[in-house]
Amino acid sequence: MRTLLFRSLIATPLSQPLPPGPEVALDTLATCLDGAARRRLGRSLAIRALDAGSCNGCELELNALSNAFYDLERFGLRFVASPRHADVLLVTGPVTANMREALARTYQAMPGPKWVVAAGACAIDGGAFAGSYAVLGGAAAGVPVDLRLPGCPPRPHELLRGLLALMDPPRRHDAGDPPGDRAAPRSA
Amino acid sequence: MGALEDLLASGAPVAGPAPWPRVVLDAVGWTAIGEALAEGALSLAALWGEADAVHAALLDETAASLAVATLACPDGRFPSLGRRHAAAIRPERAIRDLFGLVAEAAPDARPWLDHGCWAARQPLGRALPQEPAAPYAFLPAEGEGLHRMAVGPVHAGIIEPGHFRFAVNGETVVRLETRLGYAHKGIEALMQGATIERAAGLAGRTSGDSTVAYALAFARAAEAALGVAVPARAHWLRALMAELERLANHFGDIGAICNDAGFALMLAHCAILRERVLRTADHCFGHRLMRDLVVPGGVALDLEAPAAASVRDLLAEIHRQFPRLIALYEGTASLQDRTCGTGIVAPGLARRFAAGGYVGRASGRDFDARRMPGYQPYGQLRFEVPVFERGDVDARVWVRIREVEQSLSLLAQILQAMPPGAIRVNLPPGGGEGMALVEGFRGDIFAWLSLDAAGRVRRCHLRDPSWFHWPLVEAAIEGNIVADFPLCNKSFNCSYSGHDL
Ligand code: SF4
C-alpha cells in the first residue's frame, strides 16, 4: 500500500478544469435562479440525489462526479445523505407511481430555501418512459423544478456545469478555473 | 433422455420460435416442470406472463439445451411452480400483478410490483379499477429482544430505490426481507405495439449499467424472430462493447465493495480505471455507456482505426495499474477481514436459484451464457470462466478480478482478429418469435420477443439476472451483522430497475 500511496503523491493530478460549455445553455441556466438565491448558497451546495425510478444510468454518472477526474468537492459541491442537510434535491429518472410518495416526503424533509434539479431526459419529461401507466412524468410531476439538465444520461461535466450555475454567475467558469483554491495534486 | 427432452415430448410444439423450441403443455405437464425444478433436473431461466398464458424458459445444464414451456390460462389460473421451487415465487407474484393470472396454491399471495399506486390493477391483463392498497404484510420474525429496522426506498447514497426490512437481535440480522417494485416503469407495456427500433431503445434503458447487454439480448431475439443473419464484423463489435461494459462495471464494483468495507483507497483507484474505460467508449462510439449502439440488424457505428488504437492504449494502462490493485486487495488484512467469510451463499442455493454471473460463479455454479448456449463471436475466442466455491463477499470480488483479466484478453483478441466488412443489415418485413440469452456483467439476461405480422412488438419479456440474485441477498445476510449489509449488498450489486422493469 505504501508504494501505491507514494506513487500517487508524486503523480500529476488527474482532476481537470471544466471544459467550457455552450454559452447559450449557460445563460439559460443562470436565469433559473435569482441573485438573492445565489448569494444565500454562496460557494457551497449540499445535494441530495434521489432516484425516482431511473434506469440507473444517471446514477452512474452522478457517482462518476466523485472520481479523481471530476472531483466535485473541489467546487464546493457535495452529496449529502439526509434531505435535512440539503440545499438541492437532484432528481433522476421518471417519477414512477410507486415513488411518488417517497419523492414528496424527501422534498418536504428539506429545509428552505431549497431547489430542485431534474437531471436527465427522464427527469425532464419522463423520457423514454413517458406515457406508461406506471410513470407520472418528469420530476415536475412531483416537485417544483428549478433547473433541467438534459442528456441520457447527462455527461459528468454537463452535470457539473449545471450545478455550478446554481452557485455562481456562469461566466466565471468559462475561464475554466474552478472557484476557490486549486486543489493539491491528487492521486493518479 | 434428459429432463428437457421428456418435457418437450409431453407437449405440443409451436411452429416458429427460434433458436429454441417452445411447447404448449397441459396443467399436468406444467406441474411436472415444478417437480423437475425442485429435483434440480432443470433450471428456471425465466417465468413470465401474457394476457391469457404463462411461459417458463427452462435450462437443462447437463444437456446444454434450453426450451420454453407454455400453459394457456383461459380461466385466469395456473398451477404454482413456486409451491415446489422458491425461485418461481416472485415471478409468479409479478405475473399476478401485471396480468391478473393467479398461481394456484402459491406459497406467497402478496402483491409484488403493484404497490396500489397505478391507475389500474392488472394493467397488462383485464385491467381492473385500483383499490386502496392494504398495508404490505412483511414476514414475521418473533422472539425476545428482536427489533425491526426499515430502510428505504430512499437510501443514503446515490443508489436505486428499494425497501429493506431487517429483523435484528442486537447487531445480528435474523431476517431480511426486500420489497421491490419502486422503479417499475411498465417497460413491457410500453413495448407492446411499439416498433422494433423503439422497443430496442427501451430494452437498452431497462438497466442502464447493462445497456449494451440488454440491447444485445433484444437485438439477438429480434434477429432470431426475423431469421436475420448479422454481418460477422457486427458480432465482433458487439463483443467489444460488451467486454468494455463488463470492465467498467467490474472496476466500479470492486472499488465500491472495498469502499463499503471502509477502504476508500481502492474505490479511488478503481474509479479512475472505470472512468478511463468510459472515456475510451466515448471516444470510440460517442457515448460513455455505449447506449443505442447495438441495434437489431448489427451495430450503429463502426470502430475506426484511431479508435481501435485508443482501446489498445486502454488495455496497456489497465495492465500497468490493475496488478497493483489486486496486490493491494490481497495484502490488506483489515480489508480481507471484512470480505472473507461474510455474506455466504451456499452452493446448493445458488444452483437452485440458477444464480448467474459473479453470484453463481462465486458459489460454484459454472455457468456463462457466452459459453453455453454460446453466441458469436465467443466460439472463436479463448476465455476461461472463473469459478470459486466459498460463496462469500471475497469470492464475489475474486470472480470479478479474474473476469477483468479475461475481458482484457478477450478485447485484445477481438482487436487482433476482428474481420472487416459491413456492420449492419436491414431487417426484413414480417413477424416471428425469437429468444436470446446474453451474458451481461451481472449475469445472464434472457429476452423473449414476439413480433406481429407488421413487424411490431406483440409481447416482449426481459428477465434481469437480479430476479434470482435478490432472494439470495436475503439468504446471505442472515446471521451477519447489520454493519456488513452494505458490503454484502454491494457484492451482489443487484439491479433494481432491471428487476422492477
Ligand atoms: S435519462 Fe437516460 S440514463 Fe437517465 S434514467 Fe432516463 S433512460 Fe436512464
Side-chain angles (χ1 to χ4, degrees):
Chain A
M1 183 174 358
R2 248 180 271 139
T3 19
L4 198 75
L5 288 172
F6 182 69
R7 260 182 229 281
S8 304
L9 272 178
I10 56 171
T12 49
L14 291 172
S15 53
Q16 298 163 329
L18 201 57
E23 288 268 330
V24 190
L26 280 175
D27 287 342
T28 327
L29 290 177
T31 54
C32 296
L33 292 185
D34 60 21
R38 213 173 276 123
R39 269 197 302 284
R40 264 201 234 234
L41 287 167
R43 283 184 181 170
S44 158
L45 204 60
I47 308 160
R48 171 65 241 209
L50 186 131
D51 176 343
S54 88
C55 79
N56 79 30
C58 282
E59 281 62 46
L60 296 175
E61 296 299 48
L62 287 181
N63 276 313
L65 291 178
S66 299
N67 75 30
F69 293 86
Y70 304 106
D71 188 20
L72 88 166
E73 299 214 1
R74 72 188 149 139
F75 298 105
L77 302 168
R78 95 206 121 87
F79 288 111
V80 293
S82 169
R84 302 254 188 250
H85 303 157
D87 307 307
V88 168
L89 184 64
L90 179 66
V91 182
T92 55
V95 178
T96 65
N98 291 351
M99 275 302 285
R100 181 216 303 252
E101 190 185 336
L103 172 65
R105 285 212 219 169
T106 306
Y107 181 72
Q108 280 159 18
M110 290 169 62
K114 52 189 171 184
W115 292 271
V116 176
V117 177
C122 291
I124 289 177
D125 61 4
F129 308 107
S132 161
Y133 65 84
V135 165
L136 307 177
V143 286
V145 173
D146 299 291
L147 179 62
R148 294 173 175 80
L149 303 176
C152 180
R155 288 157 189 274
H157 69 248
E158 290 164 354
L159 289 166
L160 266 183
R161 194 178 306 121
L163 291 170
L164 289 173
L166 280 177
M167 295 202 296
D168 261 337
R171 256 163 249 299
R172 284 185 62 105
H173 307 295
D174 288 354
D177 273 330
D181 294 331
R182 284 303 294 271
R186 306 253 154 196
S187 63
Chain B
M1 269 210 314
L4 200 57
E5 285 177 57
D6 288 347
L7 204 85
L8 292 177
S10 72
V14 177
W20 302 301
R22 181 161 73 85
V23 296
V24 178
L25 300 178
D26 56 14
V28 176
W30 185 264
T31 311
I33 299 177
E35 299 304 317
L37 290 171
E39 285 161 15
L42 293 176
S43 303
L44 187 66
L47 177 59
W48 71 100
E50 282 197 68
D52 50 8
V54 284
H55 307 279
L58 303 161
L59 191 66
D60 185 336
E61 293 182 43
T62 32
S65 55
L66 206 149
V68 174
T70 299
L71 175 70
C73 313
D75 55 354
R77 315 182 79 78
F78 64 98
S80 166
L81 299 181
R83 202 169 61 84
R84 297 287 287 126
H85 185 65
I89 294 176
R90 285 180 180 172
E92 286 179 348
R93 292 167 69 186
I95 289 171
R96 180 176 188 158
D97 288 353
L98 297 176
F99 302 93
L101 304 177
V102 179
E104 281 175 313
D108 193 340
R110 293 174 298 168
W112 182 236
L113 300 177
D114 185 353
H115 294 193
C117 303
W118 304 334
R121 285 161 56 213
Q122 316 178 23
L124 284 132
R126 270 177 289 278
L128 295 177
Q130 189 55 264
E131 294 170 356
Y136 191 76
F138 285 95
L139 298 173
E142 286 166 14
E144 211 180 319
L146 285 192
H147 72 279
R148 297 226 175 206
M149 271 169 55
V151 181
V154 179
H155 300 280
I158 305 175
I159 47 172
E160 298 179 72
H163 182 88
F164 301 110
R165 187 62 65 100
F166 296 91
V168 292
N169 189 337
E171 287 265 24
T172 309
V173 179
V174 177
R175 166 172 255 167
L176 161 66
E177 192 182 357
T178 46
R179 189 187 182 201
L180 302 173
Y182 292 93
H184 178 74
K185 293 178 272 295
I187 290 177
E188 298 196 359
L190 287 169
M191 281 190 171
Q192 281 184 181
T195 61
I196 294 184
E197 293 73 28
R198 155 90 170 130
L202 283 164
R205 284 162 180 76
T206 303
S207 183
D209 50 16
S210 306
T211 183
V212 173
Y214 265 97
L216 180 57
F218 181 87
R220 290 190 64 86
E223 288 148 12
L226 296 169
V228 172
V230 170
R233 186 172 173 83
H235 285 304
W236 289 72
L237 285 167
R238 288 171 170 190
L240 181 101
M241 294 180 199
E243 297 310 320
L244 285 174
E245 181 174 88
R246 199 178 321 277
L247 275 185
N249 282 304
H250 280 356
F251 286 138
D253 281 1
I254 295 168
I257 294 168
C258 296
N259 192 51
D260 277 345
F263 197 65
L265 182 64
M266 195 72 161
L267 174 65
H269 283 274
C270 286
I272 292 170
L273 292 181
R274 175 181 162 84
E275 178 69 19
R276 291 202 191 281
V277 177
L278 299 188
R279 288 181 173 206
T280 305
D282 195 14
H283 179 69
C284 293
F285 302 109
H287 194 286
R288 288 163 53 91
L289 305 179
M290 297 171 284
R291 180 160 270 159
D292 299 329
L293 286 160
V294 174
V295 293
V299 291
L301 280 179
D302 205 346
L303 182 75
E304 309 298 338
S310 76
V311 179
R312 281 196 190 89
D313 293 345
L314 172 75
L315 299 184
E317 172 67 9
I318 297 171
H319 276 300
R320 265 196 301 278
Q321 303 296 342
F322 195 54
R324 289 180 197 146
L325 300 184
I326 303 175
L328 181 64
Y329 178 74
E330 272 181 309
T332 307
S334 60
L335 178 56
Q336 299 269 312
D337 187 46
R338 295 288 306 278
T339 57
C340 293
T342 305
I344 294 174
V345 176
L349 206 53
R351 222 178 15 254
R352 251 189 288 156
F353 277 77
Y358 41 74
V359 175
R361 294 195 279 273
S363 294
R365 183 167 180 260
D366 188 3
F367 180 84
D368 188 316
R370 291 173 293 177
R371 194 179 55 189
M372 198 282 273
Y375 47 94
Q376 284 200 62
Y378 290 99
Q380 298 163 65
L381 298 167
R382 290 178 316 281
F383 66 104
E384 283 163 22
V385 177
V387 178
F388 291 77
E389 300 291 333
R390 289 189 316 279
D392 55 0
V393 172
D394 179 60
R396 289 188 283 279
V397 171
W398 273 109
V399 173
R400 288 173 169 102
I401 290 175
R402 292 287 171 248
E403 288 186 7
V404 163
E405 294 166 351
Q406 293 302 316
S407 290
L408 293 175
S409 154
L410 283 167
L411 283 165
Q413 294 175 54
I414 290 169
L415 289 174
Q416 181 79 40
M418 182 152 43
I423 57 163
R424 190 173 182 174
V425 291
N426 289 331
L427 298 179
E433 181 179 331
M435 303 162 223
L437 195 69
V438 159
E439 190 72 21
F441 87 97
R442 188 178 271 123
D444 48 286
I445 296 166
F446 175 79
W448 175 79
L449 174 66
S450 166
L451 297 170
D452 65 20
R456 288 188 170 253
V457 176
R458 200 182 63 75
R459 263 289 284 139
C460 177
H461 177 67
L462 300 165
R463 192 272 301 142
D464 194 89
S466 303
W467 275 100
F468 303 132
H469 289 175
W470 277 117
L472 300 182
V473 174
E474 295 179 1
I477 190 65
E478 201 183 309
N480 286 254
I481 58 172
V482 178
D484 276 341
F485 176 68
L487 178 63
C488 280
N489 194 32
K490 189 51 87 177
S491 75
F492 282 78
N493 188 17
C494 298
S495 174
Y496 300 67
S497 181
H499 168 283
D500 294 351
L501 273 176

